[in-house]
Amino acid sequence: MSATGLPFDDIRALIAQMPGPDIRARHDARHRQEELTKPSGSLGRLEDIAEWMAAWQGRAPTVNRPVVAVFAANHGIAAKGVSAFPPSVTQAMVENFAAGGAAINQICATFDLGLKVFDLALDYPTNDISEEPALSEKDCAATMAFGMECLADQPDLLCIGEMGIGNTAVAAALFAALLGGEAADWVGPGTGQDAAGMAHKRAVVQQAIDLHRAHFGNPLEVLRRLGGREIAAMSGAILGARLQRVPVIVDGFVATAAAAVLHALDPTALDHCLFGHVSAEPGHQAALARMGKVPLLALGMRLGEGTGAALAGAMVKAAVACHNGMATFAQAGVPNRD
């Protein structure tokens, strides 16, 4: 418990303790890039990724223990019919993850990425945000702390994703509160709503926005009022990774909403993060642009589950493998200047 007895004060204290990048490690990585058997800059963004990894790991970059953490939760707002699927699908998909039958299982197996799935009290949905706050301050802060548990095995790269019926509605409300605008600016089809479903979803999300608007100046209060357990857990995971110097890859629309909470608290809070892809959910590109983030991939995906982050994780592995495994000009006996 914090000295004031207010759980969010603990979170704010952690934000204040965030380490910055290791400038020397980044310099060393950049120097090595200039010595590798390739024209300078010819690997493009892969070179930037290797240097970014070094800066946040504080050493020569490695990807030996990558983990995809998928957080699953249910939302009270789902009872209002904001999704094309019922809340029971969340539990069914968690079971599918465990059985190895989901898309994220195949991607992780293909690229040798670890996978952890966190069930966040699926039998107890958050409150309906269109009628009341989703969580108490205590529960929200505790869920953020629980999200940090995905770092218990000390991964050297963390990819975060989610599963939760109704959570694109929740994410849309969060973006409106954190980045500005109204429901129409952020609500998309999610799991595949038709025109009538979209209109209903916009109306319910707008109701939530209007109900909580007086609290939009406080990002943590926005999270506990408009968020969900998986979103709070992902925010906590991103923050915990920063404190442990673990680089993070953020997945799509919903995961980015979790990141946006930290960005609103401190714009530098996401410097240790890459954004794996731009979702087909319409508001995602706008959210990334407003936060000044450039995604690695654009594949028209909108599945969630951490799938975009995991695919980007494969790119990070390739960037680090090139950085560490390529020969230098001296080693290969290749002249590096005319």
Side-chain angles (χ1 to χ4, degrees):
M1 183 61 68
S2 65
T4 64
L6 299 175
F8 281 157
D9 283 352
D10 293 332
I11 302 300
R12 294 185 184 96
L14 293 176
I15 292 281
Q17 297 168 22
M18 294 186 304
D22 187 316
I23 303 303
R24 179 58 183 268
R26 174 181 284 163
H27 171 81
D28 290 346
R30 185 166 300 167
H31 177 72
R32 176 169 172 78
Q33 287 287 342
E34 294 301 317
E35 298 299 317
L36 298 178
T37 47
K38 58 177 178 59
S40 178
S42 60
L43 282 178
R45 200 167 177 191
L46 292 185
E47 298 184 19
D48 297 335
I49 290 170
E51 294 173 16
W52 170 81
M53 286 286 289
W56 288 107
Q57 291 181 332
R59 51 177 165 76
T62 60
V63 187
N64 296 323
R65 299 185 307 279
V67 168
V68 178
V70 179
F71 297 92
N74 275 321
H75 300 265
I77 198 175
K80 293 282 181 67
V82 296
S83 172
F85 292 92
S88 59
V89 170
T90 306
Q91 179 64 55
M93 283 304 302
V94 168
E95 294 170 3
N96 193 29
F97 297 148
I104 189 59
N105 298 98
Q106 318 320 314
I107 294 170
C108 287
T110 298
F111 297 112
D112 196 21
L113 305 170
L115 175 63
K116 290 184 176 182
V117 180
F118 296 87
D119 174 339
L120 296 166
L122 293 182
D123 292 335
Y124 301 94
T126 52
N127 299 325
D128 179 352
I129 63 170
S130 69
E131 298 182 359
E132 58 186 316
L135 294 163
S136 69
E137 179 172 335
K138 179 180 178 181
D139 287 345
C140 186
T143 304
M144 293 182 75
F146 179 79
M148 298 179 188
E149 291 297 313
C150 69
L151 297 157
D153 293 335
Q154 299 183 315
D156 51 16
L157 179 66
L158 177 65
C159 305
I160 62 164
E162 44 61 42
M163 174 65 211
I165 294 300
N167 65 9
T168 59
V170 169
L174 282 168
F175 282 128
L178 296 167
L179 300 178
E182 304 296 334
D185 300 308
W186 298 105
V187 169
T191 51
Q193 290 277 26
D194 59 17
M198 282 278 289
H200 174 69
K201 183 178 179 181
R202 283 193 295 268
V204 175
V205 171
Q206 189 63 51
Q207 183 179 338
I209 292 168
D210 292 340
L211 177 64
H212 302 285
R213 193 182 299 275
H215 303 275
F216 284 6
N218 183 335
L220 291 174
E221 187 70 7
V222 166
L223 174 61
R224 77 107 178 163
R225 286 175 170 272
L226 291 173
R229 290 192 181 94
E230 81 278 49
I231 295 175
M234 288 188 290
S235 293
I238 294 169
L239 177 56
R242 175 63 166 265
L243 296 170
Q244 296 185 32
R245 304 195 68 88
V246 177
V248 174
I249 306 178
V250 179
D251 195 43
F253 186 69
V254 179
T256 299
V261 174
L262 299 177
H263 185 269
L265 286 163
D266 182 341
T268 71
L270 303 181
D271 288 355
H272 67 303
C273 298
L274 293 177
F275 287 77
H277 74 130
V278 58
S279 169
E281 191 72 3
H284 193 210
Q285 184 170 351
L288 293 174
R290 294 194 192 189
M291 292 191 291
K293 305 301 179 182
V294 180
L296 286 177
L297 301 170
L299 300 175
M301 297 169 61
R302 54 179 178 85
L303 176 61
E305 301 180 10
T307 48
L311 287 168
M315 292 182 61
V316 172
K317 289 185 71 174
V320 170
C322 289
H323 181 83
N324 292 333
M326 287 179 67
T328 65
F329 285 104
Q331 289 169 332
V334 176
N336 68 345
R337 296 289 185 272
D338 291 336

